[in-house]
Amino acid sequence: MEETKQDIKKPENLVYKKTDLMTDKTLSYCPGCGHGVIHRMAMEVIEEMGLEEETIGIAPVGCSVLAYEFMNVDMQQAAHGRAPALATGIKRVFPEKTVFTYQGDGDLAAIGTAETIHACNRGENITIIFVNNGIYGMTGGQMAPTTLEGMKSSTTPYGRDTKKMGHPLKMTELVATLPGTCYVTRQAVHKAAAVRKTKKAIKKAIEYQKAEKGTSFIEVVSNCSSGWKMTPVQANKWMEENMFPFYPLGDIKKPEK
Amino acid sequence: MAKVKGDIEVDIEGCKGCEICIDACPVENTIAMSKNVNSKGYHYMELINDTCIGCANCAIVCPDGVITVYKARK
Ligand SMILES: Cc1ncc(C[n+]2csc(CCOP(=O)(O)OP(=O)(O)O)c2C)c(N)n1
Ligand code: SF4
Ligand code: SF4
Ligand code: SF4
């Protein structure tokens, strides 16, 4: 018998639905912003691993300052850039908890550089999710340390001139050189296959945290259509063409057995 | 008519009209942006044909998580 559409929408045929670990609040992000997908992948991993009762997330300052409104796990919100310090304190007091930070590139790679590097160098047993959209999204698209050479932003209207403004910072490669990090990877969420890989990477990172291997660090190269002044679909294309050559995707460091 | 393999449900009020799902769908002319808008003024995504294969690509890339996907088993 031929199946009609009515026959298909049944609970046993369900293949994808937003996880209950995302609250029902409307995300405060612009249309097409990668933050939403990255939040959801983190929560899917926590749900699949059954860690929702014991997870503590740290929200940053930046567009994702309200992450605690959207992720349905225990959360704290840190002062700008201080998420790894807060995570350190929480993890040391509650070593059995699963602790992660969620930070933008302005938060993690500018004002929070010291906290990031030292937490990684101490090998704190935490997971850091680093959302790199090459710009300060929340405050109006100013240049970030990660802004590409020649890339326009509100403070580099003619493009980033590396002679005057320095070079884009590859934070992920930098922390990979530190002995405290166990797993360091760079992923993206612009395509379904990339999203699935990001999810796998977050899962591995949490597993390494559970095995007390040290700091796990996941960069997710993401878009900022508002800051980049493009449509979301254009922004994802621009990201593939311009961000990925400088910020190549893939694992940078994996734990030795 | 060919057998229907998949179906989706869109939370119209939650859609922000970003069109990222359209770009992610492997079957052309399956989903499109509606001419109508939701209460926030966004054109929302809708299924326009019975060609959905239930791959869930659209739902996985949707930043706002507003798509639910069903796929016929067997
Ligand atoms: C101590 C302090 N300095 C500066 C600011 C202003 N500020 C708010 S968000 C932000 C940058 C956010 O950029 P990023 O971390 O890349 O996150 P995005 O908004 O792009 O997701 C800055 C500089 C602040 N809130 N607090
Ligand atoms: S300003 Fe950029 S980073 Fe912030 S919500 Fe909008 S698109 Fe996302
Ligand atoms: S489930 Fe797959 S085929 Fe169906 S609309 Fe979504 S992307 Fe297209
Ligand atoms: S990806 Fe989601 S929010 Fe964007 S147009 Fe499609 S259904 Fe709407």
Side-chain angles (χ1 to χ4, degrees):
Chain A
M1 198 188 78
E2 285 205 347
E3 223 147 347
T4 65
K5 286 219 276 185
Q6 281 70 22
D7 297 328
I8 295 178
K9 277 190 191 171
K10 294 186 286 203
E12 63 266 34
N13 287 339
L14 181 73
V15 285
Y16 195 89
K17 171 180 172 286
K18 186 175 85 172
T19 162
D20 290 339
L21 287 192
M22 288 295 289
T23 64
D24 286 332
K25 294 199 175 113
T26 302
L27 299 176
S28 51
Y29 307 116
C30 306
C33 176
H35 274 308
V37 184
I38 305 165
H39 283 23
R40 200 173 68 241
M41 288 309 119
M43 289 303 99
E44 284 186 8
V45 169
I46 298 299
E47 183 182 41
E48 282 170 25
M49 293 177 79
L51 301 174
E52 55 270 32
E53 294 299 325
E54 57 147 90
T55 297
I56 303 175
I58 319 288
V61 168
C63 284
S64 49
V65 62
L66 296 177
Y68 55 82
E69 295 276 359
F70 310 129
M71 299 190 196
N72 209 355
V73 293
D74 284 343
M75 301 277 298
Q76 271 279 351
Q77 198 276 318
H80 209 359
R82 275 44 166 176
L86 189 48
T88 298
I90 290 174
K91 184 73 181 184
R92 286 187 178 206
V93 174
F94 299 116
E96 72 289 355
K97 303 274 184 193
T98 300
V99 179
F100 73 93
T101 73
Y102 185 99
Q103 305 175 256
D105 48 321
D107 189 84
L108 180 143
I111 193 165
T113 315
E115 284 76 7
T116 306
I117 289 179
H118 288 295
C120 289
N121 196 43
R122 292 190 305 268
E124 299 295 341
N125 248 314
I126 56 172
T127 299
I128 294 177
I129 300 175
F130 165 39
V131 183
N132 178 9
N133 56 18
I135 210 158
Y136 291 1
M138 185 194 211
T139 44
Q142 293 85 356
M143 189 190 93
T146 46
T147 300
L148 297 174
E149 180 171 4
M151 182 174 164
K152 287 187 178 143
S153 70
S154 60
T155 47
T156 58
Y158 305 108
R160 182 176 189 164
D161 175 356
T162 53
K163 281 208 191 81
K164 289 188 197 137
M165 299 150 188
H167 297 269
L169 182 58
K170 292 189 183 186
M171 205 60 181
T172 304
E173 277 80 355
L174 200 152
V175 301
T177 65
L178 304 173
T181 52
C182 63
Y183 176 54
V184 180
T185 187
R186 184 183 286 117
Q187 302 292 335
V189 290
H190 63 307
K191 291 229 150 80
V195 178
R196 290 187 177 100
K197 279 192 193 163
T198 295
K199 182 174 170 184
K200 274 195 194 133
I202 297 174
K203 186 163 185 207
K204 267 196 240 167
I206 302 285
E207 282 167 358
Y208 292 137
Q209 181 181 155
K210 293 273 113 190
E212 298 181 14
K213 298 263 183 207
T215 312
S216 42
F217 190 100
I218 304 147
E219 172 178 342
V220 185
V221 181
S222 190
N223 59 16
C224 178
S225 59
S226 295
W228 299 355
K229 313 235 177 291
M230 298 173 198
T231 68
V233 173
Q234 280 170 343
N236 278 352
K237 198 150 188 290
W238 188 90
M239 180 172 76
E240 280 184 75
E241 287 165 4
N242 297 278
M243 299 277 280
F244 293 173
F246 190 78
Y247 297 116
L249 306 186
D251 290 346
I252 295 165
K253 184 179 186 180
K254 284 195 253 188
E256 292 151 26
K257 283 279 148 147
Chain B
M1 204 191 85
K3 198 173 128 185
V4 180
K5 292 192 186 123
D7 201 0
I8 58 166
E9 205 163 277
V10 183
D11 165 14
I12 289 172
E13 279 303 308
C15 174
K16 292 181 184 162
C18 70
E19 304 189 12
I20 284 183
C21 52
I22 314 268
D23 209 46
C25 179
V27 192
E28 247 181 274
N29 292 319
T30 299
I31 51 176
M33 301 314 288
S34 173
K35 285 194 186 69
N36 301 320
V37 295
N38 61 19
S39 70
K40 298 197 179 89
Y42 291 121
H43 291 278
Y44 52 85
M45 182 271 263
E46 61 184 2
L47 193 71
I48 52 167
N49 274 307
D50 283 346
T51 44
C52 170
I53 55 171
C55 70
N57 279 6
C58 55
I60 287 167
V61 297
C62 173
D64 292 87
V66 299
I67 309 170
T68 303
V69 184
Y70 298 89
K71 185 177 180 170
R73 304 277 162 191
K74 92 190 129 153

